[in-house]
Every structure is written in structure tokens, then in C-alpha cells.
Amino acid sequence: MSRPIFEVIATSAQDAVAAAAGGADRLELAVDMGADGLTPSVEEFARIRAAVHIPLRVMLRDRDGFRPRDLDQLSATAQALRAEGAEEFVFGFLTPEGTVDLEAVRTVLDAIPGCSWTFHRALDNAADRASVRAAIDGLPGLDTVLTAGSAAGVAAGIDVLAAESARSGEPGYRPQILVGGGLKADQVPGLRALGIAGFHVGGMVRKAGWDGPVDTGLVQQWRRLVDADAHAAA
């Protein structure tokens, strides 16, 4: 079994260096975690890119919730980040009815051609997640879905994660599942046993939660945990 992906949220170059030193495979770059993560500035992205040499997925989100405040401006920001060297992104938009806003998704995709991206936890807040999965199936560059299985977090979403993992490779279920959203260490073994091989954490690798920086030692602990369970599940 291949090594699982371990992704850490970084809000600064300091976070990025600590996460990379601890063994993170990839970083999700975001700011304002009180709003569940918004797009960093181009300048902050440039600082982080200069500080580390692991893949960076940049959040494209300009407000709390899953509807863009200003889609044109968000697309322009995406283009500016792309021009600065960003190659991977994280985004996802819903209509007021809770269906996927494909027009908004495609508008952003037009701004970042050729890039890989994650459809984030908008999926967990959709009225019908199966419909969202079907609608985004085959969109260019989509290789990952970040999900807890439930808007309430991983503990409430285990059954959904199990069912979706079992359908891996089917239409609508081809992107890799990246589990995040209240993920706790004691949930990792069971998730690995389901065949899930993508894990995403933020506050769990900070001794003071979001008020403090990423701690390299905590990242190392998670890295060992994820790898050990990968071997046990193999």
C-alpha cells in the first residue's frame, strides 16, 4: 500500500516551515481560520513558497460560507496567485439551495488552467452530496475531495466516509478522499482500515489551537501515526 497523503493547514511561512520539518506531504494555505479559512495574499503565498519545497494548495475563498462574495475579484486573485507560481488550489461553491454552483466553479477553473485542485468541505454542507459528486465528476484538474463525511465533523461522518470509500473509482467517486474536519488521532486506524489514504489537520498540530503556530513535534507524531496505520492496514 502506498504512503498516505498527510496535509497540514499553514497560515504563515512559520507554520509552513514547521509542518514541512515534521513530515507533511502537502500544505493547505489559508488565513483567517475564524472564518474556516480564506485566501492568503499573493505576498504571503510568495513568502511561503520561498520558505518550503513541498506542494502547496491555496484556498480560494473570500468569505465565511460557500458562496463567493465577489467572484470576479476571487478569479483575479487566483490568476495573480497562479502568476506568482501557485499550481494547486482548494475551492468549492454552493448555491443558496445547497446545490453545487458549477458556474462559479467553472469561472475559477478558467482562471487557473492546468492546475490540480481539491473540492473542499462545501460537499459536507450540500443538500445532496451524491448530486454534488456527480456534478463535479470529470472537471479538469480535480483530484481530491476534502470531507469529514458530515458538516458536524468526522465523528458524525464515519458511515458516509465508509460508504464513499467503498465506491472509490466509480463515476463521481474518482477523486481521492482527504479526510479533514474535526479529525482526531484515534480515528485514523479505523479510517485506514476503510482504505482511506488522505488525512488533513490544522488545529490538532498546534499546542494552543488556532491561537498558536504549527508545532513540528505534533506534526511528527501525526506523521508516524498515519504511516504506522498504513503499514498495519497493508
Side-chain angles (χ1 to χ4, degrees):
M1 183 176 291
S2 61
R3 186 187 192 196
I5 290 177
F6 179 43
E7 181 178 272
V8 173
I9 299 171
T11 63
S12 65
Q14 178 186 2
D15 279 353
V17 170
D25 296 301
R26 187 170 72 200
L27 305 180
E28 179 191 280
L29 306 187
V31 296
D32 195 354
M33 296 312 298
D36 288 331
L38 304 182
T39 304
S41 68
V42 174
E43 293 76 17
E44 187 63 36
F45 168 77
R47 284 190 286 271
I48 294 171
R49 184 168 181 258
V52 296
H53 302 285
I54 60 175
L56 310 174
R57 293 218 162 180
V58 186
M59 178 66 73
L60 294 176
R61 190 163 176 259
D62 63 358
R63 65 185 298 178
D64 197 357
F66 302 103
R67 297 178 63 199
R69 184 189 308 278
D70 186 332
L71 185 58
D72 289 341
Q73 181 57 53
L74 189 62
S75 296
T77 299
Q79 287 180 318
L81 287 161
R82 183 74 182 94
E84 187 61 39
E87 298 177 340
E88 305 181 32
F89 294 90
V90 183
F91 57 97
F93 309 112
L94 300 177
T95 68
E97 295 74 32
T99 61
V100 63
D101 188 339
L102 276 178
E103 181 179 356
V105 170
R106 288 191 173 115
T107 297
V108 170
L109 283 177
D110 286 345
I112 52 168
C115 291
S116 300
W117 62 287
T118 297
F119 191 93
H120 64 42
R121 290 193 62 208
L123 176 64
D124 292 341
N125 292 269
D128 181 344
R129 59 189 292 130
S131 294
V132 172
R133 279 185 165 277
I136 64 176
D137 188 47
L139 287 175
L142 175 64
D143 61 11
T144 305
V145 171
L146 173 62
T147 178
S150 168
V154 173
I158 292 292
D159 290 345
V160 170
L161 292 171
E164 293 189 349
S165 178
R167 299 188 66 180
S168 178
E170 295 181 15
Y173 297 87
R174 286 177 279 224
Q176 178 173 17
I177 293 175
L178 181 69
V179 177
L183 177 65
K184 294 181 172 56
D186 63 4
Q187 295 164 333
V188 173
L191 292 166
R192 291 297 294 126
L194 295 174
I196 290 170
F199 299 91
H200 167 98
V201 297
M204 294 298 292
V205 292
R206 301 165 188 267
K207 290 182 177 179
W210 292 113
D211 292 330
V214 168
D215 181 86
T216 295
L218 291 177
V219 176
Q220 290 172 333
Q221 289 177 24
W222 272 82
R223 175 82 265 176
R224 288 193 294 268
L225 171 68
V226 168
D227 289 346
D229 284 319
H231 300 153

